[in-house]
Amino acid sequence: MLRSLITSTLLLQGLALGATELPRLISEYRADERSLEAAWNLPWSELQQDRLQHHVESWQQRLETVTLPQLERDDQVDWLLLRNHLSKELEALRQQRAQLAEMKDLLPFRSVIQKLVADQLERRAANPPQAAEQLAGLLKPLEDLKKQLSDQKSADAKKSGPNVTDKLPKITPVLALRAASATNAIRDSLAEWFKFHDSFQPAFGWWVRQPQGKLMEALEAHTKFLREEIADQKGKPEDPLVGDPIGAEALAANISGELLPYTAEELIAIGEEEFTWCETQMRDIANQLGTDIIGVLQKIKAAHVPPGAQASLVQAEAERAIQFLKQHDLVTIPPLCEETWRMQMIPPDQQKTMPYAVYSSPAISIAYATDAMSHEDKMMSMRGNNRHFTRIVTPHELIPGHHLQRFMADRNHPWRSLFSTPFYVEGWALYWEMQLWDKGYAASVEDKAGMLFWRMHRCARIIVSLKFHLGKMTPAEMVDYLVQRVGHEKMGATSEVRRYINGNYGPLYQAGYMLGGMQLRALREEMIGPDKLTEKAFHDAVLTQGPMPIEVLRAALSKEPLSKDWKSTWRFQALKP
């Protein structure tokens, strides 16, 4: 069935090459991808990975048949974007295969369950007696694995030399958490498989219900054991911070996929240089206020609004930013965009990973103390969301930041959402923090200190996140860096690091804020001036092009010739010798 499907797909692709309009091809690619992901819903399976890899490779071949010079300029840009996206997809699949190989020993049930589910997906009839025997046979391997893991943990606790078993490699908390997540996904697919057959085949439930139910319980217990006993994650605020670093090789591949001609170490050096600039500016402010950097931060953190007033503060700051942009004619703000932004509050439990305001279209989500928090957490939340921090956070999230950005992206080149990257998305908002600093947006030295705090924070994100993925910084060291060097509250720093390392963000996401902002700042210097773009025209052009790696944006705006051998070469920031 799979072989015939692949053959049919190739034939269809061969017939579809008459048009070279890239938006249509991108839409077709996305539709194909969604269809395959829905049809081959087999998480952590070689079958799913093989099918997706074949899909991407087929599109690579198809894209190479396009004659690039014959395309319109926008189509040439889209061609480059799609080619780069396909390369990134193949690299992501390679990394998934590597991760699966690492946790294979913790998933002894995987191949049996996935074969049953695959038979259903490929429309093969179930064999209830055989399925019951196979499921029942998975209980013993799970029991044996739990004993091995327990013995290993006990040996580690006693520091009694080598592992008590030579059959199982050392299981780290990182690996245990990843395997727990994979177990949940495979367990869900088993539940769907059973639901599909149960009651519709009279003999199925008689044979399968009991062994499937027992196995579901065992898989749930396996997830709990891995998460709580091996990774020591019990759902409490004091749980140790555990993340999944991808390593130097995979990090280098991700950097290449973002079209950055730098090494990870060079990007860290850029972050450190920018951090040093921020510290120098902060010392100047401290001298003006007759204190030190710690004293400056204590002063501005104390300037928070009383409980219940944070939403009003955010509204006032949003209106202030919009008025400033209009007064200086910096960017087009469509009236509907200005009308439709909203506010919502972040629940206390979510503030464990979102201690500050974030944007979720069309609303800015506001973090602030609630009556459900301990007194200490309330005070840390209020200090961390003070007036001077909020003054620059609000335009970052709303206008001219993410709300304006999202509004324009939905209406201009919307198919380019496929190529979204934090270097464009977060870089745009960070770029505006830099521009507002340069244009005197701060109303006081305390406002400037608040702006510098966030700028230092984004520099620190480059440093700590990349060092984490290189294996050069532990989560605890990351927290200490944010507290001691940047000035975070311990609660905020811990929440930030937990978000960086929990796997919900790509390895370059945190670095993308400052590095993307610096790329846009460098691009601005190239594009604005006599006989070039005005400031407002540049900003509008960036928004209407839509999300993409910044170097491709540079190529699109500069009108440089594009060819199939185009590659990333732009060193937007020179490193000091």
Side-chain angles (χ1 to χ4, degrees):
M1 179 69 72
L2 178 57
R3 185 181 300 275
S4 64
L5 179 59
I6 292 173
T7 302
S8 299
T9 302
L10 286 172
L11 289 172
L12 286 171
Q13 289 178 349
L15 294 172
L17 288 174
T20 57
E21 183 185 289
L22 265 293
R24 183 188 67 79
L25 289 182
I26 292 168
S27 297
E28 183 183 341
Y29 168 80
R30 298 190 75 173
D32 288 353
E33 185 177 52
R34 293 189 189 105
S35 293
L36 286 171
E37 289 174 346
W40 296 99
N41 185 20
L42 274 169
W44 294 105
S45 72
E46 292 88 352
L47 182 59
Q48 182 196 59
Q49 291 169 350
D50 289 346
R51 186 63 189 92
L52 291 175
Q53 179 172 335
H54 176 81
H55 168 64
V56 174
E57 290 174 342
S58 297
W59 269 90
Q60 283 183 321
Q61 295 171 15
R62 184 177 181 182
L63 205 57
E64 286 303 318
T65 67
V66 174
T67 305
L68 197 63
Q70 295 179 3
L71 300 181
E72 298 292 333
R73 179 71 181 189
D74 257 11
D75 282 350
Q76 291 180 344
V77 172
D78 285 331
W79 188 94
L80 291 174
L81 290 170
L82 183 55
R83 181 183 67 174
N84 187 63
H85 176 80
L86 295 174
S87 296
K88 290 171 66 175
E89 289 291 283
L90 285 181
E91 174 58 26
L93 285 168
R94 187 198 68 78
Q95 292 181 29
Q96 287 174 22
R97 291 181 190 276
Q99 289 183 327
L100 179 57
E102 289 175 347
M103 62 180 175
K104 180 174 64 176
D105 292 330
L106 297 177
L107 308 173
F109 46 84
R110 182 179 67 90
S111 59
V112 171
I113 293 174
Q114 289 178 344
K115 177 62 169 64
L116 293 172
V117 177
D119 285 345
Q120 175 212 326
L121 294 179
E122 297 196 87
R123 300 178 291 278
R124 287 191 284 268
N127 184 326
Q130 184 182 69
E133 184 175 356
Q134 290 175 319
L135 295 178
L138 295 177
L139 295 175
K140 181 65 164 57
L142 273 170
E143 292 173 2
D144 292 344
L145 176 59
K146 181 177 180 179
K147 184 178 186 308
Q148 288 178 316
L149 291 171
S150 297
D151 290 346
Q152 186 183 81
K153 182 181 179 183
S154 178
D156 289 343
K158 296 176 182 178
K159 303 189 185 311
S160 56
N163 291 339
V164 295
T165 174
D166 58 2
K167 297 181 181 180
L168 198 65
K170 173 67 177 174
I171 306 302
T172 64
V174 170
L175 196 57
L177 273 184
R178 191 197 304 160
S181 177
T183 300
N184 270 339
I186 295 168
R187 183 176 182 271
D188 289 344
S189 66
L190 176 63
E192 288 299 313
W193 170 82
F194 180 81
K195 181 180 178 181
F196 176 84
H197 293 290
D198 190 32
S199 299
F200 296 99
Q201 290 182 260
F204 183 85
W206 191 94
W207 283 103
V208 179
R209 180 171 289 106
Q210 196 273 347
Q212 189 265 356
K214 288 289 186 183
L215 182 58
M216 291 288 285
E217 293 174 1
L219 292 174
E220 184 176 13
H222 182 57
T223 298
K224 181 179 174 67
F225 180 79
L226 289 173
R227 186 177 298 279
E228 296 187 3
E229 301 302 322
I230 304 301
D232 199 22
Q233 299 293 297
K234 298 179 172 63
K236 299 180 179 179
E238 62 269 22
D239 285 348
L241 293 167
V242 178
D244 201 348
I246 64 173
E249 180 182 354
L251 186 60
N254 277 264
I255 292 171
S256 177
E258 291 290 350
L259 302 178
L260 294 166
Y262 292 89
T263 65
E265 289 77 10
E266 287 175 326
L267 295 179
I268 291 170
I270 290 173
E272 289 172 338
E273 288 178 5
E274 193 73 10
F275 192 94
T276 299
W277 181 89
C278 293
E279 280 190 316
T280 301
Q281 298 296 316
M282 192 69 90
R283 289 193 189 97
D284 289 344
I285 290 174
N287 290 335
Q288 293 179 51
L289 295 176
T291 182
D292 55 17
I293 292 178
I294 293 176
V296 172
L297 291 175
Q298 289 175 339
K299 175 178 174 63
I300 62 177
K301 286 181 180 181
H304 53 75
V305 297
Q310 189 71 3
S312 297
L313 174 64
V314 168
Q315 179 175 343
E317 291 301 337
E319 293 170 353
R320 180 175 184 267
I322 291 169
Q323 183 59 35
F324 186 90
L325 295 167
K326 290 180 177 179
Q327 178 184 346
H328 293 83
D329 198 27
L330 295 175
V331 66
T332 298
I333 306 173
L336 188 62
C337 175
E338 184 177 347
E339 174 190 341
T340 54
W341 69 268
R342 294 293 180 260
M343 296 185 292
Q344 60 189 23
M345 304 303 293
I346 303 175
D349 59 324
Q350 292 183 22
Q351 291 189 44
K352 294 176 183 177
T353 54
M354 290 191 295
Y356 308 110
V358 297
Y359 180 72
S360 179
S361 181
I364 180 173
S365 298
I366 304 166
Y368 209 66
T370 74
D371 58 5
M373 294 179 176
S374 68
H375 178 72
E376 182 181 11
D377 286 349
K378 286 176 182 176
M379 296 309 299
M380 283 195 289
S381 178
M382 288 191 290
R383 288 195 297 265
N385 292 278
N386 61 74
R387 292 178 181 273
H388 305 293
F389 287 2
T390 301
R391 174 150 291 178
I392 193 62
V393 167
T394 303
H396 175 111
E397 303 299 346
L398 291 173
I399 299 172
H402 293 316
H403 182 69
L404 175 60
Q405 180 186 54
R406 175 65 179 271
F407 184 93
M408 297 299 289
D410 286 346
R411 291 157 176 81
N412 299 274
H413 299 91
W415 58 89
R416 288 181 178 168
S417 62
L418 178 66
F419 312 120
S420 182
T421 165
F423 292 83
Y424 177 92
V425 174
E426 300 295 355
W428 169 258
L430 202 285
Y431 162 83
W432 275 103
E433 290 188 31
M434 295 177 176
Q435 290 302 301
L436 291 174
W437 169 277
D438 292 343
K439 295 181 184 303
Y441 185 70
S444 65
V445 291
E446 289 84 1
D447 283 350
K448 294 182 73 173
M451 297 172 81
L452 282 170
F453 170 85
W454 285 113
R455 197 154 164 179
M456 292 171 70
H457 171 60
R458 273 48 180 265
C459 298
R461 279 180 163 180
I462 300 172
I463 299 164
V464 301
S465 66
L466 296 188
K467 284 188 174 183
F468 168 75
H469 284 294
L470 289 173
K472 296 181 178 180
M473 186 175 276
T474 66
E477 290 170 337
M478 296 166 74
V479 172
D480 289 344
Y481 192 99
L482 294 182
V483 171
Q484 296 168 12
R485 295 295 303 278
V486 182
H488 277 278
E489 297 291 320
K490 183 68 176 287
M491 173 188 171
T494 303
S495 299
E496 283 285 302
V497 171
R498 199 181 299 278
R499 187 168 82 252
Y500 300 171
I501 67 177
N502 66 8
N504 292 333
Y505 290 87
L508 293 178
Y509 195 95
Q510 309 309 328
Y513 285 74
M514 176 57 71
L515 292 174
M518 294 174 73
Q519 284 184 298
L520 286 169
R521 182 176 65 183
L523 182 58
R524 177 186 186 277
E525 293 304 308
E526 293 182 3
M527 295 290 167
I528 293 177
D531 301 322
K532 295 182 180 180
L533 295 176
T534 65
E535 195 166 32
K536 184 176 184 179
F538 169 72
H539 294 147
D540 290 349
V542 172
L543 287 172
T544 54
Q545 282 293 320
M548 64 181 73
I550 304 300
E551 186 165 359
V552 181
L553 174 64
R554 177 175 181 254
L557 296 182
S558 68
K559 308 301 182 184
E560 68 175 82
L562 299 177
S563 63
K564 287 186 177 181
D565 60 0
W566 184 93
K567 63 179 182 180
S568 173
T569 59
W570 185 38
R571 304 276 289 187
F572 64 91
Q573 178 79 2
L575 290 165
K576 295 178 181 177

